[in-house]
């Protein structure tokens, strides 16, 4: 019997509105009480989708969420000390300390109930296929003073069996700490997801197409990637010049060794998608066009200009995903250099694409991002985490383009960004997503990320005082008006 097509699984049951906010942008920056209060704010606003960026462990406190240390693990920086105290594993006096998670592990060891210990054992059993390699990698990374694994001593770099056995013995406490932190992250995340789902809010996650070179995945399974036996990159991932950068974007990730993935019927990918199903209701695949053809840049290049397009086996990959992950609901981030072949791949597998209103007002009346060109099977945004805030974007436009925007929108009396928010909510797109910065009418000083830069990104947080008493009511009136 043939597996059902993902296109037969409804992307959404109805028109919905969503908010884009990464958990690090909550006032406390974690999965504590602010996250639950934000769900309540969404409900009060009539919104039923919470979209966020990748939630994996990053390289440093403000590292890119698209360069994670694991495709499966959660970011322990998001763990709430508040819930650890309430669980009885952490003393209130240690909740703000640097060693809070170590103290929590000590408290768990002393005070956890039999049920909690059984839950931990089950977590380790279920997640062992990725957790054991990740825990060892993180323990070794700490021992090696956070050096990239390609610079580790050769026996550790190349996973010599004797060296790894000795490391597991030598680093047993550090390895166990990593396992515990992942147990806590998944426990706290599931609590939040259950709360959101009970309130009618879906969690909308983000899956980067590529994997960080310095990650447990490439270290432990380098046969899946375009690296040599010692882990050195054979080519680099990125994108050619586009509206985000005149020299393209040089991401530096390894490409995939697609023949290996094909030979294994995409086992690695199906495991990765199963991890997403556990945490998310919807998943956005970043840089979807790379599954049809990817931009391959020579190793050692300083910019992304001198690359070439190489075909990728996206069709057979998603056919395999269709058979193994039937609950998965995917959105394709189809921005950038999009060809008819990319669109055909997306449509064949039933994945909605994205419409960005900030891209809509140049190029004439057939610009696909203009609201009258939208499709029901799409997700419309005022802007994404890679864009300026809508107010910052509008303020930077030349006067003639500002006039065109207002003319298209019917010369509204509302100040920006509200006319663009209204246009997104009124669109025929099944899902409309508004960045939190736009809901708060914030300018470009509150931007989350500027592509092509490495400083000052991923740091923005809002405060509850910015919301006031009118934002939720104003949003709810629009949501109800446009049947979301």
């Amino acid at each position: 019997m043939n597996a059902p097509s993902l296109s037969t699984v409804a992307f959404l049951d109805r028109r919905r509105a969503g908010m884009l906010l990464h958990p690090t942008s909550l006032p406390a920056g974690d999965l504590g009480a602010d996250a639950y209060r934000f769900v309540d704010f969404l409900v009060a606003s009539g919104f039923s989708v919470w979209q966020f960026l990748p939630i994996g462990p990053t390289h440093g406190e403000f590292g890119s969420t698209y360069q994670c240390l694991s495709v499966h693990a959660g970011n322990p920086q998001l763990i709430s000390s508040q819930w650890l105290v309430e669980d009885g594993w952490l003393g209130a006096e240690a909740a703000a300390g640097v060693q809070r998670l170590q103290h929590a592990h000590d408290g768990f060891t002393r005070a956890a109930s039999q049920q909690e210990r059984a839950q931990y054992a089950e977590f380790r059993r279920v997640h062992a296929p990725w957790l054991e390699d990740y825990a060892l990698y993180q323990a070794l990374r700490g021992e090696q003073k956070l050096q990239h694994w390609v610079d580790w001593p050769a026996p550790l770099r190349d996973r010599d069996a004797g060296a790894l056995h000795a490391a597991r013995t030598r680093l047993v406490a550090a390895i166990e700490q990593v396992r515990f932190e992942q147990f806590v992250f998944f426990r706290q995340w599931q609590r939040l997801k259950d709360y959101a789902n009970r309130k009618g809010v879906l969690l909308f996650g983000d899956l980067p197409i590529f994997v960080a070179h310095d990650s447990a995945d490439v270290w432990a399974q380098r046969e899946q990637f375009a690296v040599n036996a010692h882990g050195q990159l054979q080519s680099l991932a990125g994108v050619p010049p586009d509206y985000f950068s005149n020299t393209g974007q040089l991401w530096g990730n390894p490409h995939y060794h697609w023949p290996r993935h094909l030979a294994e019927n995409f086992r690695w990918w199906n495991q990765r998608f199963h991890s997403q199903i556990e945490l998310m209701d919807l998943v956005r695949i970043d840089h979807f066009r790379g599954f049809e053809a990817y931009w391959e840049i020579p190793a050692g290049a300083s910019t992304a200009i001198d690359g070439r397009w190489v075909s990728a086996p996206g069709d057979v990959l998603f056919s395999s995903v269709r058979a193994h992950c039937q609950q998965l609901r995917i959105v394709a981030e189809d921005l950038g250099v999009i060809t008819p072949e990319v669109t055909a791949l997306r449509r064949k597998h039933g994945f909605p694409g994205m419409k960005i209103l900030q891209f809509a007002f140049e190029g004439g009346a057939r610009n696909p991002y203009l609201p009258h060109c939208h499709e029901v099977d799409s997700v419309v945004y005022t802007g994404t985490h890679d864009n300026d805030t809508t107010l910052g974007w509008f303020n930077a436009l030349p006067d003639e383009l500002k006039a065109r925007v207002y003319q298209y929108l019917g010369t509204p009396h509302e100040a920006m960004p509200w006319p663009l928010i209204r246009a997104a909510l009124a669109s025929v797109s099944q899902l409309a997503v508004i960045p939190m910065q736009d809901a708060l009418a914030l300018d470009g000083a509150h931007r989350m990320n500027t592509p092509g830069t490495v400083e000052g990104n991923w740091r923005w947080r809002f405060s509850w005082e910015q919301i006031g008493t009118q934002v939720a009511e104003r949003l709810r009136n629009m949501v109800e008006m446009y049947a979301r």
Side-chain angles (χ1 to χ4, degrees):
M1 181 176 178
N2 293 330
S5 167
L6 279 177
S7 61
T8 66
V9 179
F11 163 60
L12 288 175
D13 54 344
R14 59 179 175 83
R15 283 168 60 81
R16 289 179 181 262
M19 192 80 74
L20 172 58
L21 181 85
H22 198 51
T24 59
S25 293
L26 292 162
D30 62 25
L31 303 179
D34 283 332
Y36 293 76
R37 185 175 174 183
F38 182 71
V39 171
D40 294 340
F41 166 72
L42 291 177
V43 173
S45 302
F47 282 55
S48 58
V49 175
W50 179 0
Q51 184 174 357
F52 38 85
L53 310 180
I55 56 174
T58 60
H59 292 76
E61 183 179 1
F62 296 110
S64 170
T65 64
Y66 292 89
Q67 298 284 350
C68 292
L69 298 168
S70 167
V71 300
H72 301 282
N75 189 345
Q77 294 175 19
L78 293 174
I79 290 173
S80 165
S81 294
Q82 173 188 359
W83 301 146
L84 292 173
V85 172
E86 293 196 10
D87 286 333
W89 304 343
L90 182 65
E93 69 285 351
V98 175
Q99 304 296 318
R100 65 189 183 104
L101 297 181
Q102 286 88 339
H103 289 307
H105 186 205
D106 293 341
F108 176 85
T109 302
R110 291 192 309 269
S113 67
Q114 286 301 113
Q115 182 182 18
E116 290 166 339
R117 294 176 195 276
Q119 290 170 346
Y120 179 44
E122 178 65 4
F123 173 82
R124 286 189 55 184
R125 184 190 69 79
V126 169
H127 297 275
W130 64 265
L131 180 61
E132 294 309 305
D133 277 326
Y134 172 70
L136 177 58
Y137 161 82
Q138 282 285 54
L140 284 168
R141 188 168 178 265
E143 182 184 58
Q144 297 298 319
K145 302 188 186 322
L146 307 184
Q147 285 190 97
H148 193 307
W149 64 265
V150 298
D151 297 320
W152 293 355
L156 296 175
R157 178 195 67 195
D158 297 333
R159 296 179 58 83
D160 174 78
L164 295 190
H165 177 75
R168 290 188 182 99
T169 302
R170 182 175 71 251
L171 300 172
V172 62
I175 291 168
E176 178 61 13
Q177 180 67 33
V178 176
R179 293 189 191 114
F180 171 75
E181 290 176 6
Q182 288 305 303
F183 167 66
V184 172
F185 174 88
F186 275 72
R187 175 185 171 94
Q188 291 193 358
W189 186 271
Q190 195 59 54
R191 284 178 176 174
L192 177 61
K193 184 176 185 297
D194 290 346
Y195 181 82
N197 289 169
R198 288 197 307 272
K199 294 279 190 173
V201 174
L202 305 177
L203 298 190
F204 185 6
D206 200 330
L207 184 145
I209 179 175
F210 294 119
V211 178
H213 188 198
D214 187 7
S215 66
D217 311 282
V218 184
W219 173 67
Q221 301 187 68
R222 68 195 68 175
E223 70 278 1
Q224 306 287 349
F225 301 90
V227 298
N228 65 22
H230 301 311
Q232 300 295 332
L233 292 168
Q234 296 174 330
S235 60
L236 304 174
V239 290
D242 61 12
Y243 37 67
F244 284 122
S245 173
N246 292 331
T247 59
Q249 296 179 50
L250 181 61
W251 296 330
N253 306 73
H255 283 293
Y256 293 103
H257 183 54
W258 284 117
R260 179 71 177 232
H261 291 274
L262 282 159
E264 295 179 352
N265 193 25
F266 303 100
R267 173 187 56 82
W268 184 90
W269 279 100
N270 286 311
Q271 290 174 345
R272 188 181 184 190
F273 279 117
H274 272 293
S275 291
Q276 305 307 305
I277 291 173
E278 181 176 356
L279 299 169
M280 323 295 182
D281 300 298
L282 313 167
V283 177
R284 185 192 89 132
I285 298 181
D286 190 52
H287 194 58
F288 176 81
R289 75 99 53 244
F291 290 104
E292 193 281 325
Y294 55 88
W295 190 245
E296 183 182 72
I297 304 162
S302 58
T303 74
I305 293 176
D306 295 322
R308 65 181 185 124
W309 290 109
V310 180
S311 294
D315 187 25
V316 285
L317 164 62
F318 290 117
S319 293
S320 178
V321 170
R322 202 160 53 204
H324 291 89
C325 308
Q326 295 175 18
Q327 312 109 291
L328 196 61
R329 292 185 284 185
I330 288 175
V331 172
E333 186 269 287
D334 55 344
L335 308 176
V337 182
I338 303 303
T339 64
E341 292 79 9
V342 176
T343 301
L345 176 66
R346 177 180 65 76
R347 287 177 172 166
K348 177 177 180 179
H349 293 280
F351 303 154
M354 290 173 54
K355 307 296 182 184
I356 312 300
L357 293 184
Q358 288 187 24
F359 299 160
F361 299 99
E362 296 183 78
R366 296 190 183 277
N367 183 320
Y369 297 114
L370 284 167
H372 68 265
C373 296
H374 292 179
E375 304 161 330
V376 172
D377 197 26
S378 67
V379 182
V380 60
Y381 296 77
T382 49
T384 74
H385 66 280
D386 281 334
N387 294 102
D388 200 346
T389 68
T390 292
L391 184 56
W393 161 79
F394 186 77
N395 287 342
L397 293 179
D399 289 344
E400 61 186 45
L401 194 50
K402 286 181 181 177
R404 188 182 309 166
V405 171
Y406 264 92
Q407 182 181 19
Y408 180 88
L409 297 173
T411 316
H413 297 294
E414 295 171 302
M416 279 292 174
W418 288 101
L420 219 63
I421 292 174
R422 184 180 295 276
L425 295 173
S427 166
V428 297
S429 296
Q430 189 79 335
L431 175 60
V433 177
I434 312 300
M436 183 64 167
Q437 292 96 319
D438 287 354
L440 299 180
L442 299 176
D443 63 21
H446 301 269
R447 183 171 185 164
M448 186 63 163
N449 179 52
T450 302
T453 67
V454 295
E455 298 294 331
N457 298 317
W458 320 111
R459 297 169 182 262
W460 179 74
R461 290 185 182 179
F462 79 90
S463 67
W464 292 113
E465 290 74 19
Q466 290 173 300
I467 293 179
T469 60
Q470 304 298 320
V471 174
E473 181 181 358
R474 187 171 189 174
L475 290 171
R476 175 173 281 279
N477 287 339
M478 288 188 181
V479 165
E480 292 175 350
M481 180 176 296
Y482 299 115
R484 293 193 181 277

